[in-house]
Amino acid sequence: MNFDESPEEAALRAEIRAFLEANATRKTGTEADWSRGPVDDSEDAAHAYFEKTRAWQRTLYDNGWAGITWPKEFGGRGGTPAEAIIFGQEAAKFDVSAGFFGAAQSLVGPPIMRHGDQAQQERYLPKLMSGEESWCQLFSEPGAGSDLAALSTRAVRDGDEFVVNGQKVWNSEAQHADYGILITRTDPEAPKHKGITFFLVDMRTPGIEVVPLRQATGQSHFNEVFFNDVRIPAENVVGEVDGGWPVTRTVLTSEAGMIGSGGGGASSFDSLLATARAFGRADDPVVRQGLAEVYSREKMLSWMGLRMQTFVMHRRGTPPDPSVMKNFSTQSTEIKVNLGVAVEGPGGMLDRADAPEAGFWQNLVLSQFSSRIGGGTNEVHRNMIAERALGLPRDIQPDKDLPWREILKA
Ligand SMILES: Cc1cc2nc3c(=O)[nH]c(=O)nc-3n(C[C@H](O)[C@H](O)[C@H](O)COP(=O)(O)OP(=O)(O)OC[C@H]3O[C@@H](n4cnc5c(N)ncnc54)[C@H](O)[C@@H]3O)c2cc1C
Protein backbone atom coordinates (compact mmCIF):
# COMPACT_ATOMS: atom_id res chain seq x y z
CA MET A 1 0.00 0.00 0.00
CA ASN A 2 1.18 3.50 -0.71
CA PHE A 3 -0.04 6.39 1.42
CA ASP A 4 2.24 9.06 -0.02
CA GLU A 5 0.47 11.95 -1.67
CA SER A 6 1.81 13.84 -4.60
CA PRO A 7 2.36 17.60 -3.98
CA GLU A 8 -0.71 18.27 -6.17
CA GLU A 9 -2.86 15.90 -4.07
CA ALA A 10 -1.62 17.48 -0.82
CA ALA A 11 -2.47 20.94 -2.15
CA LEU A 12 -5.91 19.75 -3.17
CA ARG A 13 -6.48 18.30 0.32
CA ALA A 14 -5.61 21.68 1.85
CA GLU A 15 -8.00 23.42 -0.54
CA ILE A 16 -10.81 20.97 0.35
CA ARG A 17 -10.21 21.43 4.08
CA ALA A 18 -10.40 25.19 3.70
CA PHE A 19 -13.70 24.89 1.82
CA LEU A 20 -15.17 22.56 4.48
CA GLU A 21 -13.98 24.71 7.41
CA ALA A 22 -15.62 27.75 5.78
CA ASN A 23 -18.93 26.05 4.94
CA ALA A 24 -19.57 23.38 7.58
CA THR A 25 -18.92 22.36 11.18
CA ARG A 26 -16.97 19.33 12.34
CA LYS A 27 -18.85 16.19 13.41
CA THR A 28 -19.41 15.79 17.13
CA GLY A 29 -20.17 12.05 16.93
CA THR A 30 -23.38 12.64 18.90
CA GLU A 31 -27.10 13.01 18.16
CA ALA A 32 -26.41 16.72 17.59
CA ASP A 33 -25.05 15.87 14.11
CA TRP A 34 -27.82 16.48 11.55
CA SER A 35 -26.00 14.30 8.98
CA ARG A 36 -26.88 11.14 11.00
CA GLY A 37 -30.32 11.18 9.35
CA PRO A 38 -33.92 12.26 10.09
CA VAL A 39 -34.48 13.13 13.77
CA ASP A 40 -37.46 10.73 14.02
CA ASP A 41 -39.67 8.41 11.94
CA SER A 42 -42.16 11.09 10.82
CA GLU A 43 -42.61 12.21 7.22
CA ASP A 44 -41.92 15.81 8.35
CA ALA A 45 -38.51 14.75 9.69
CA ALA A 46 -37.74 12.82 6.48
CA HIS A 47 -38.67 15.87 4.42
CA ALA A 48 -36.61 18.24 6.59
CA TYR A 49 -33.57 15.95 6.28
CA PHE A 50 -34.06 15.68 2.52
CA GLU A 51 -34.08 19.49 2.19
CA LYS A 52 -30.90 19.77 4.30
CA THR A 53 -29.13 17.33 2.01
CA ARG A 54 -30.38 19.31 -0.99
CA ALA A 55 -28.94 22.52 0.53
CA TRP A 56 -25.54 20.82 0.99
CA GLN A 57 -25.62 19.62 -2.63
CA ARG A 58 -26.26 23.23 -3.68
CA THR A 59 -23.28 24.40 -1.60
CA LEU A 60 -21.08 21.80 -3.32
CA TYR A 61 -22.34 22.94 -6.73
CA ASP A 62 -21.89 26.66 -6.05
CA ASN A 63 -18.30 26.05 -4.92
CA GLY A 64 -17.28 23.72 -7.76
CA TRP A 65 -17.22 20.51 -5.69
CA ALA A 66 -20.24 18.78 -7.26
CA GLY A 67 -19.45 16.17 -9.91
CA ILE A 68 -15.73 15.95 -9.11
CA THR A 69 -15.10 13.16 -11.64
CA TRP A 70 -17.64 14.40 -14.21
CA PRO A 71 -16.13 15.72 -17.45
CA LYS A 72 -15.87 19.51 -17.69
CA GLU A 73 -18.04 19.52 -20.82
CA PHE A 74 -20.96 18.38 -18.63
CA GLY A 75 -20.28 20.98 -15.94
CA GLY A 76 -18.18 18.69 -13.72
CA ARG A 77 -14.76 19.37 -12.24
CA GLY A 78 -12.99 16.96 -14.62
CA GLY A 79 -11.10 15.48 -11.65
CA THR A 80 -9.75 11.99 -11.02
CA PRO A 81 -11.17 9.22 -8.79
CA ALA A 82 -8.22 9.93 -6.47
CA GLU A 83 -9.45 13.53 -6.05
CA ALA A 84 -12.96 12.28 -5.27
CA ILE A 85 -11.51 9.91 -2.64
CA ILE A 86 -9.58 12.77 -1.01
CA PHE A 87 -12.75 14.88 -0.94
CA GLY A 88 -14.67 11.97 0.64
CA GLN A 89 -11.99 11.46 3.31
CA GLU A 90 -12.06 15.10 4.35
CA ALA A 91 -15.86 15.53 4.14
CA ALA A 92 -16.31 12.46 6.41
CA LYS A 93 -14.94 14.56 9.29
CA PHE A 94 -17.66 17.21 8.89
CA ASP A 95 -21.36 17.31 9.71
CA VAL A 96 -22.45 17.25 6.06
CA SER A 97 -24.36 14.91 3.77
CA ALA A 98 -25.68 15.11 0.24
CA GLY A 99 -27.85 12.08 1.17
CA PHE A 100 -29.71 10.65 -1.79
CA PHE A 101 -28.64 13.58 -4.02
CA GLY A 102 -25.16 12.05 -4.01
CA ALA A 103 -26.52 8.62 -4.92
CA ALA A 104 -28.79 10.09 -7.62
CA GLN A 105 -25.80 11.69 -9.32
CA SER A 106 -24.10 8.29 -9.60
CA LEU A 107 -27.27 6.65 -10.90
CA VAL A 108 -28.58 9.29 -13.29
CA GLY A 109 -25.50 11.20 -14.50
CA PRO A 110 -23.64 8.36 -16.31
CA PRO A 111 -26.56 7.12 -18.50
CA ILE A 112 -27.42 10.67 -19.63
CA MET A 113 -23.76 11.57 -20.26
CA ARG A 114 -23.02 8.34 -22.11
CA HIS A 115 -26.25 7.51 -23.94
CA GLY A 116 -28.36 10.70 -23.84
CA ASP A 117 -28.63 13.25 -26.65
CA GLN A 118 -27.38 16.82 -26.36
CA ALA A 119 -30.84 18.24 -25.57
CA GLN A 120 -31.21 15.78 -22.66
CA GLN A 121 -27.72 16.52 -21.39
CA GLU A 122 -28.32 20.29 -21.41
CA ARG A 123 -31.80 20.01 -19.91
CA TYR A 124 -31.13 17.58 -17.05
CA LEU A 125 -27.46 17.46 -16.00
CA PRO A 126 -27.02 20.96 -14.49
CA LYS A 127 -30.14 20.67 -12.29
CA LEU A 128 -29.15 17.13 -11.26
CA MET A 129 -25.76 18.40 -10.17
CA SER A 130 -27.10 21.46 -8.31
CA GLY A 131 -29.81 19.45 -6.54
CA GLU A 132 -32.52 21.71 -7.96
CA GLU A 133 -34.21 18.57 -9.32
CA SER A 134 -34.29 15.30 -7.36
CA TRP A 135 -34.33 11.84 -8.95
CA CYS A 136 -35.21 8.22 -8.22
CA GLN A 137 -34.48 4.86 -9.84
CA LEU A 138 -37.54 2.98 -11.17
CA PHE A 139 -36.04 -0.44 -12.03
CA SER A 140 -37.11 -3.26 -9.66
CA GLU A 141 -40.53 -4.89 -9.90
CA PRO A 142 -42.35 -7.50 -7.81
CA GLY A 143 -41.23 -10.10 -10.41
CA ALA A 144 -37.86 -8.61 -11.41
CA GLY A 145 -35.03 -7.85 -8.98
CA SER A 146 -31.83 -9.88 -9.30
CA ASP A 147 -33.16 -10.95 -12.71
CA LEU A 148 -33.91 -7.36 -13.70
CA ALA A 149 -34.16 -8.05 -17.44
CA ALA A 150 -37.33 -10.08 -16.76
CA LEU A 151 -39.25 -6.83 -16.08
CA SER A 152 -42.90 -6.53 -17.18
CA THR A 153 -43.85 -2.83 -17.02
CA ARG A 154 -45.13 -2.17 -20.54
CA ALA A 155 -44.59 0.90 -22.72
CA VAL A 156 -46.55 1.08 -25.99
CA ARG A 157 -45.88 3.73 -28.62
CA ASP A 158 -48.74 6.12 -29.48
CA GLY A 159 -47.57 8.81 -31.94
CA ASP A 160 -45.00 11.04 -30.27
CA GLU A 161 -45.61 9.45 -26.88
CA PHE A 162 -45.33 6.11 -25.07
CA VAL A 163 -48.12 4.89 -22.78
CA VAL A 164 -46.80 3.10 -19.69
CA ASN A 165 -48.62 0.61 -17.45
CA GLY A 166 -47.18 -1.51 -14.64
CA GLN A 167 -45.60 -1.43 -11.19
CA LYS A 168 -42.17 -0.76 -9.71
CA VAL A 169 -41.08 -1.43 -6.12
CA TRP A 170 -38.30 -0.64 -3.58
CA ASN A 171 -37.77 2.77 -5.20
CA SER A 172 -35.62 4.77 -2.79
CA GLU A 173 -36.80 8.32 -2.10
CA ALA A 174 -39.36 8.23 -4.96
CA GLN A 175 -41.77 10.09 -2.66
CA HIS A 176 -39.45 13.13 -2.84
CA ALA A 177 -38.37 12.82 -6.47
CA ASP A 178 -39.08 15.24 -9.31
CA TYR A 179 -37.87 12.81 -12.00
CA GLY A 180 -37.14 9.11 -12.39
CA ILE A 181 -35.07 6.85 -14.60
CA LEU A 182 -37.48 4.16 -15.76
CA ILE A 183 -37.02 0.88 -17.65
CA THR A 184 -39.92 -0.73 -19.50
CA ARG A 185 -40.75 -3.62 -21.85
CA THR A 186 -41.39 -2.34 -25.38
CA ASP A 187 -40.92 -5.56 -27.40
CA PRO A 188 -42.35 -8.67 -25.70
CA GLU A 189 -41.39 -10.84 -28.70
CA ALA A 190 -37.65 -10.17 -28.32
CA PRO A 191 -35.38 -12.03 -25.80
CA LYS A 192 -35.61 -10.40 -22.38
CA HIS A 193 -32.47 -8.22 -22.68
CA LYS A 194 -33.40 -6.96 -26.15
CA GLY A 195 -36.89 -5.43 -25.86
CA ILE A 196 -36.27 -2.91 -23.06
CA THR A 197 -36.53 0.90 -23.39
CA PHE A 198 -35.03 3.42 -20.93
CA PHE A 199 -36.95 6.67 -20.14
CA LEU A 200 -36.58 9.86 -18.15
CA VAL A 201 -39.96 10.46 -16.53
CA ASP A 202 -41.44 13.49 -14.79
CA MET A 203 -42.86 12.13 -11.51
CA ARG A 204 -45.73 14.67 -11.64
CA THR A 205 -47.12 13.08 -14.85
CA PRO A 206 -50.81 12.09 -14.41
CA GLY A 207 -51.22 8.34 -13.74
CA ILE A 208 -48.15 7.96 -11.50
CA GLU A 209 -48.96 6.94 -7.93
CA VAL A 210 -46.20 6.76 -5.30
CA VAL A 211 -46.99 4.69 -2.20
CA PRO A 212 -44.37 4.75 0.61
CA LEU A 213 -43.51 1.39 2.22
CA ARG A 214 -43.02 1.52 5.98
CA GLN A 215 -39.99 -0.49 7.09
CA ALA A 216 -39.39 -2.37 10.33
CA THR A 217 -37.30 0.61 11.52
CA GLY A 218 -40.40 2.83 11.26
CA GLN A 219 -38.95 4.85 8.40
CA SER A 220 -40.13 4.93 4.79
CA HIS A 221 -37.07 4.90 2.59
CA PHE A 222 -38.72 2.84 -0.17
CA ASN A 223 -41.86 3.12 -2.25
CA GLU A 224 -44.10 1.26 -4.62
CA VAL A 225 -44.68 3.24 -7.83
CA PHE A 226 -47.72 2.46 -9.98
CA PHE A 227 -48.11 3.50 -13.64
CA ASN A 228 -51.63 3.78 -15.02
CA ASP A 229 -51.74 4.98 -18.65
CA VAL A 230 -48.80 7.33 -18.03
CA ARG A 231 -47.89 9.26 -21.20
CA ILE A 232 -44.17 9.94 -21.69
CA PRO A 233 -42.88 11.97 -24.67
CA ALA A 234 -40.75 9.94 -27.11
CA GLU A 235 -38.01 12.57 -26.73
CA ASN A 236 -37.49 11.23 -23.18
CA VAL A 237 -36.14 7.89 -24.44
CA VAL A 238 -32.43 7.55 -23.58
CA GLY A 239 -30.53 5.58 -26.21
CA GLU A 240 -32.51 3.47 -28.69
CA VAL A 241 -36.07 2.21 -28.41
CA ASP A 242 -35.71 -1.51 -27.48
CA GLY A 243 -32.01 -0.81 -26.82
CA GLY A 244 -32.33 0.18 -23.14
CA TRP A 245 -30.32 -2.71 -21.67
CA PRO A 246 -26.86 -1.19 -22.33
CA VAL A 247 -28.14 2.06 -20.77
CA THR A 248 -29.37 0.06 -17.76
CA ARG A 249 -25.96 -1.68 -17.50
CA THR A 250 -24.30 1.75 -17.32
CA VAL A 251 -26.48 2.57 -14.29
CA LEU A 252 -25.83 -0.81 -12.60
CA THR A 253 -22.06 -0.52 -13.08
CA SER A 254 -22.01 2.99 -11.65
CA GLU A 255 -24.23 1.87 -8.74
CA ALA A 256 -21.86 -1.01 -7.92
CA GLY A 257 -18.91 1.41 -7.93
CA MET A 258 -20.77 3.79 -5.62
CA ILE A 259 -21.61 1.02 -3.12
CA GLY A 260 -18.11 -0.51 -3.32
CA SER A 261 -16.46 2.83 -2.61
CA GLY A 262 -18.31 2.94 0.74
CA GLY A 263 -16.29 -0.10 1.95
CA GLY A 264 -14.09 0.29 4.98
CA GLY A 265 -16.13 3.23 6.30
CA ALA A 266 -15.97 4.80 9.75
CA SER A 267 -15.32 2.42 12.64
CA SER A 268 -18.16 1.72 15.03
CA PHE A 269 -16.15 -0.62 17.26
CA ASP A 270 -15.75 2.22 19.75
CA SER A 271 -19.54 2.52 20.12
CA LEU A 272 -19.77 -1.24 20.77
CA LEU A 273 -17.02 -1.13 23.39
CA ALA A 274 -18.72 1.86 25.05
CA THR A 275 -21.99 -0.09 25.26
CA ALA A 276 -20.22 -3.17 26.68
CA ARG A 277 -18.57 -0.99 29.35
CA ALA A 278 -21.79 0.88 30.15
CA PHE A 279 -23.53 -2.46 30.83
CA GLY A 280 -20.60 -3.84 32.87
CA ARG A 281 -19.99 -6.63 30.30
CA ALA A 282 -16.51 -5.70 29.07
CA ASP A 283 -14.88 -8.30 31.38
CA ASP A 284 -17.20 -11.15 30.38
CA PRO A 285 -15.01 -13.69 28.50
CA VAL A 286 -17.70 -14.48 25.89
CA VAL A 287 -18.34 -10.77 25.25
CA ARG A 288 -14.58 -10.16 25.03
CA GLN A 289 -14.28 -12.90 22.42
CA GLY A 290 -17.09 -11.23 20.41
CA LEU A 291 -15.44 -7.81 20.76
CA ALA A 292 -12.15 -9.25 19.49
CA GLU A 293 -13.90 -10.73 16.46
CA VAL A 294 -15.66 -7.45 15.64
CA TYR A 295 -12.41 -5.49 16.07
CA SER A 296 -10.44 -7.92 13.87
CA ARG A 297 -13.06 -7.81 11.12
CA GLU A 298 -13.14 -3.99 11.14
CA LYS A 299 -9.36 -3.90 10.82
CA MET A 300 -9.46 -6.38 7.91
CA LEU A 301 -12.17 -4.35 6.19
CA SER A 302 -10.30 -1.09 6.58
CA TRP A 303 -7.14 -2.72 5.15
CA MET A 304 -9.15 -4.02 2.19
CA GLY A 305 -10.51 -0.47 1.75
CA LEU A 306 -6.95 0.91 1.79
CA ARG A 307 -5.84 -1.67 -0.78
CA MET A 308 -8.71 -0.59 -2.98
CA GLN A 309 -7.79 3.09 -2.52
CA THR A 310 -4.13 2.40 -3.29
CA PHE A 311 -5.14 0.70 -6.51
CA VAL A 312 -7.52 3.50 -7.52
CA MET A 313 -5.16 6.32 -6.56
CA HIS A 314 -1.79 4.89 -7.62
CA ARG A 315 -2.65 1.92 -9.87
CA ARG A 316 -0.46 -0.25 -7.63
CA GLY A 317 -1.10 -3.70 -6.15
CA THR A 318 -4.15 -5.88 -6.69
CA PRO A 319 -7.52 -4.54 -5.58
CA PRO A 320 -9.63 -6.83 -3.39
CA ASP A 321 -12.65 -8.36 -5.12
CA PRO A 322 -15.66 -6.03 -4.52
CA SER A 323 -17.97 -9.05 -4.14
CA VAL A 324 -15.73 -10.46 -1.39
CA MET A 325 -15.72 -7.04 0.32
CA LYS A 326 -19.50 -6.74 0.16
CA ASN A 327 -20.10 -10.19 1.65
CA PHE A 328 -17.44 -9.77 4.35
CA SER A 329 -18.74 -6.31 5.23
CA THR A 330 -22.39 -7.34 5.62
CA GLN A 331 -21.46 -10.45 7.63
CA SER A 332 -19.34 -8.26 9.92
CA THR A 333 -22.26 -5.89 10.41
CA GLU A 334 -24.51 -8.79 11.40
CA ILE A 335 -22.03 -10.03 14.03
CA LYS A 336 -21.49 -6.52 15.41
CA VAL A 337 -25.11 -5.38 15.70
CA ASN A 338 -26.25 -8.68 17.24
CA LEU A 339 -23.53 -8.33 19.88
CA GLY A 340 -24.59 -4.70 20.50
CA VAL A 341 -28.10 -5.83 21.42
CA ALA A 342 -26.90 -8.91 23.33
CA VAL A 343 -24.66 -6.96 25.73
CA GLU A 344 -27.63 -4.76 26.64
CA GLY A 345 -29.24 -7.79 28.30
CA PRO A 346 -33.04 -7.82 28.74
CA GLY A 347 -33.20 -4.11 27.73
CA GLY A 348 -31.96 -5.18 24.31
CA MET A 349 -35.41 -6.60 23.60
CA LEU A 350 -36.98 -3.14 23.75
CA ASP A 351 -37.19 -0.76 20.82
CA ARG A 352 -36.72 2.95 19.96
CA ALA A 353 -37.24 5.38 22.85
CA ASP A 354 -37.84 2.51 25.34
CA ALA A 355 -34.55 0.81 24.51
CA PRO A 356 -31.09 1.74 25.83
CA GLU A 357 -29.32 4.50 23.88
CA ALA A 358 -32.65 5.47 22.25
CA GLY A 359 -32.65 2.18 20.30
CA PHE A 360 -29.31 2.78 18.55
CA TRP A 361 -28.40 -0.95 18.27
CA GLN A 362 -31.99 -2.08 17.68
CA ASN A 363 -32.24 0.28 14.70
CA LEU A 364 -29.01 -1.16 13.28
CA VAL A 365 -30.25 -4.74 13.78
CA LEU A 366 -33.39 -3.96 11.80
CA SER A 367 -31.71 -1.99 9.02
CA GLN A 368 -28.76 -4.39 8.47
CA PHE A 369 -30.76 -6.45 5.96
CA SER A 370 -30.91 -3.66 3.38
CA SER A 371 -27.15 -3.78 2.81
CA ARG A 372 -27.33 -7.56 2.13
CA ILE A 373 -29.86 -6.96 -0.66
CA GLY A 374 -29.17 -3.54 -2.23
CA GLY A 375 -26.52 -3.31 -4.97
CA GLY A 376 -26.90 -7.03 -5.75
CA THR A 377 -27.78 -9.55 -3.05
CA ASN A 378 -25.04 -11.42 -1.17
CA GLU A 379 -26.05 -14.63 -3.00
CA VAL A 380 -25.69 -12.97 -6.40
CA HIS A 381 -22.27 -11.65 -5.35
CA ARG A 382 -21.31 -15.19 -4.26
CA ASN A 383 -22.17 -16.33 -7.79
CA MET A 384 -19.83 -13.62 -9.10
CA ILE A 385 -17.04 -14.82 -6.77
CA ALA A 386 -17.61 -18.38 -8.04
CA GLU A 387 -17.44 -17.31 -11.68
CA ARG A 388 -14.84 -14.52 -11.66
CA ALA A 389 -12.53 -15.46 -8.80
CA LEU A 390 -12.81 -19.25 -8.67
CA GLY A 391 -13.35 -19.83 -12.40
CA LEU A 392 -16.40 -22.05 -11.90
CA PRO A 393 -18.90 -22.45 -14.77
CA ARG A 394 -21.45 -19.65 -15.33
CA ASP A 395 -24.93 -19.92 -13.84
CA ILE A 396 -27.20 -21.56 -16.42
CA GLN A 397 -29.64 -19.13 -18.08
CA PRO A 398 -32.19 -21.30 -19.88
CA ASP A 399 -34.44 -18.36 -20.85
CA LYS A 400 -31.71 -16.06 -22.19
CA ASP A 401 -32.59 -16.45 -25.89
CA LEU A 402 -36.33 -17.10 -25.58
CA PRO A 403 -38.84 -14.37 -26.51
CA TRP A 404 -39.72 -12.53 -23.26
CA ARG A 405 -43.42 -13.41 -23.79
CA GLU A 406 -42.55 -17.14 -23.45
CA ILE A 407 -40.38 -17.04 -20.31
CA LEU A 408 -41.68 -18.20 -16.95
CA LYS A 409 -42.77 -15.10 -14.95
CA ALA A 410 -42.30 -14.81 -11.16
C1 LIG B 1 -31.31 -0.46 0.35
C2 LIG B 1 -31.97 -0.80 -0.96
C3 LIG B 1 -32.22 0.21 -1.89
C4 LIG B 1 -32.86 -0.10 -3.09
N1 LIG B 1 -33.16 0.93 -3.95
C5 LIG B 1 -33.76 0.66 -5.12
C6 LIG B 1 -34.12 1.73 -6.02
O1 LIG B 1 -33.93 2.90 -5.72
N2 LIG B 1 -34.71 1.42 -7.18
C7 LIG B 1 -34.98 0.13 -7.55
O2 LIG B 1 -35.50 -0.08 -8.66
N3 LIG B 1 -34.70 -0.93 -6.70
C8 LIG B 1 -34.11 -0.68 -5.50
N4 LIG B 1 -33.82 -1.71 -4.61
C9 LIG B 1 -34.22 -3.07 -4.97
C10 LIG B 1 -33.06 -3.99 -5.23
O3 LIG B 1 -32.43 -3.69 -6.45
C11 LIG B 1 -33.61 -5.44 -5.22
O4 LIG B 1 -34.13 -5.69 -3.93
C12 LIG B 1 -32.53 -6.44 -5.53
O5 LIG B 1 -32.16 -6.35 -6.88
C13 LIG B 1 -33.00 -7.89 -5.23
O6 LIG B 1 -34.18 -8.16 -5.91
P1 LIG B 1 -35.45 -8.77 -5.15
O7 LIG B 1 -35.70 -7.97 -3.92
O8 LIG B 1 -36.55 -8.85 -6.14
O9 LIG B 1 -35.01 -10.21 -4.71
P2 LIG B 1 -34.91 -11.51 -5.64
O10 LIG B 1 -34.09 -11.22 -6.83
O11 LIG B 1 -36.29 -12.06 -5.87
O12 LIG B 1 -34.12 -12.49 -4.72
C14 LIG B 1 -34.77 -13.29 -3.71
C15 LIG B 1 -33.72 -14.22 -3.12
O13 LIG B 1 -33.22 -15.10 -4.14
C16 LIG B 1 -31.80 -14.99 -4.25
N5 LIG B 1 -31.38 -15.13 -5.65
C17 LIG B 1 -31.89 -14.49 -6.72
N6 LIG B 1 -31.24 -14.82 -7.86
C18 LIG B 1 -30.28 -15.71 -7.48
C19 LIG B 1 -29.28 -16.44 -8.18
N7 LIG B 1 -29.12 -16.33 -9.52
N8 LIG B 1 -28.46 -17.26 -7.47
C20 LIG B 1 -28.60 -17.40 -6.12
N9 LIG B 1 -29.54 -16.74 -5.40
C21 LIG B 1 -30.37 -15.91 -6.06
C22 LIG B 1 -31.48 -13.60 -3.72
O14 LIG B 1 -30.15 -13.52 -3.25
C23 LIG B 1 -32.50 -13.45 -2.59
O15 LIG B 1 -32.04 -14.06 -1.42
C24 LIG B 1 -33.22 -1.43 -3.41
C25 LIG B 1 -32.99 -2.44 -2.45
C26 LIG B 1 -32.38 -2.13 -1.23
C27 LIG B 1 -32.20 -3.22 -0.23
Side-chain angles (χ1 to χ4, degrees), residues 100 137-141 144-147 169-172 221-222 370 373-374 377 379-380 383 395:
F100 201 68
Q137 182 195 38
L138 304 163
F139 282 13
S140 305
E141 298 182 2
S146 302
D147 186 11
V169 71
W170 313 124
N171 311 111
S172 308
H221 171 71
F222 303 113
S370 64
I373 301 167
T377 68
E379 291 74 24
V380 166
N383 281 348
D395 223 5

Side-chain angles (χ1 to χ4, degrees), residues 145-157:
S146 302
D147 186 11
L148 187 56
L151 63 93
S152 313
T153 294
R154 280 284 272 133
V156 177
R157 188 148 198 161

Side-chain angles (χ1 to χ4, degrees), residues 93-167:
K93 299 168 194 162
F94 286 79
D95 187 19
V96 294
S97 173
F100 201 68
F101 286 91
Q105 293 205 359
S106 301
L107 299 172
V108 180
I112 297 181
M113 284 190 267
R114 197 149 160 205
H115 309 272
D117 59 33
Q118 194 181 345
Q120 290 169 342
Q121 289 163 352
E122 288 173 3
R123 162 65 188 82
Y124 295 107
L125 291 176
K127 289 183 180 179
L128 167 67
M129 216 183 325
S130 69
E132 188 177 334
E133 288 171 346
S134 54
W135 288 76
C136 64
Q137 182 195 38
L138 304 163
F139 282 13
S140 305
E141 298 182 2
S146 302
D147 186 11
L148 187 56
L151 63 93
S152 313
T153 294
R154 280 284 272 133
V156 177
R157 188 148 198 161
D158 181 20
D160 289 343
E161 295 177 323
F162 283 80
V163 181
V164 179
N165 282 286
Q167 186 201 339

Side-chain angles (χ1 to χ4, degrees), residues 214-282:
R214 197 171 157 84
Q215 295 150 230
T217 57
Q219 292 166 346
S220 293
H221 171 71
F222 303 113
N223 301 268
E224 292 177 291
V225 178
F226 296 89
F227 292 81
N228 294 307
D229 289 332
V230 174
R231 301 189 84 86
I232 305 179
E235 67 192 32
N236 285 24
V237 171
V238 180
E240 303 294 324
V241 172
D242 296 333
W245 188 248
V247 190
T248 307
R249 294 281 324 154
T250 298
V251 177
L252 299 178
T253 304
S254 177
E255 184 176 22
M258 171 183 78
I259 291 170
S261 65
S267 163
S268 50
F269 175 77
D270 291 346
S271 312
L272 185 60
L273 184 59
T275 301
R277 284 188 173 137
F279 281 81
R281 305 288 306 279

Side-chain angles (χ1 to χ4, degrees), residues 50 101 108 147 199-200 259 295 377 386 401 407:
F50 193 75
F101 286 91
V108 180
D147 186 11
F199 291 95
L200 308 175
I259 291 170
Y295 181 82
T377 68
D401 299 316
I407 65 177

Side-chain angles (χ1 to χ4, degrees), residues 5-20 64-65 68 77 79-90 313:
E5 270 177 6
S6 68
E8 294 78 23
E9 285 168 352
L12 182 82
R13 191 181 288 281
E15 192 188 336
I16 292 167
R17 272 189 198 151
F19 157 71
L20 289 165
W65 292 111
I68 293 177
R77 198 179 172 87
T80 62
E83 290 171 13
I85 287 174
I86 293 171
F87 190 91
Q89 288 171 338
E90 292 304 314
M313 294 174 78

